[in-house]
Amino acid sequence: MSDYATTFDLIDADKDGRISAVELVRLMEVLGKPVTLEAAQEGCSSWTRTAMA
């Protein structure tokens, strides 16, 4: 398993194959750079749009 896959698996707490806004909020708190749920939702939304483009 690659380092990226291992890291992704650590962040993807519910193991649904996606990083949700809630999971992103938790990650950023652990990293010491907290974000609001709204900011995380916007970030996840923009990633989804970019991935589908």
Side-chain angles (χ1 to χ4, degrees), residues 3-52:
D3 289 341
Y4 293 115
T6 301
T7 301
F8 186 91
D9 284 345
L10 290 172
I11 299 166
D12 182 22
D14 62 7
K15 306 302 180 207
D16 67 352
R18 300 170 188 227
I19 296 174
S20 69
V22 171
E23 291 165 335
L24 181 58
V25 167
R26 288 183 188 141
L27 170 65
M28 296 308 291
E29 287 174 353
V30 168
L31 293 175
K33 299 287 185 178
V35 298
T36 64
L37 180 58
E38 293 78 18
Q41 288 169 331
E42 178 60 32
C44 289
S45 173
S46 68
W47 291 335
T48 301
R49 286 192 302 268
T50 302
M52 294 185 167

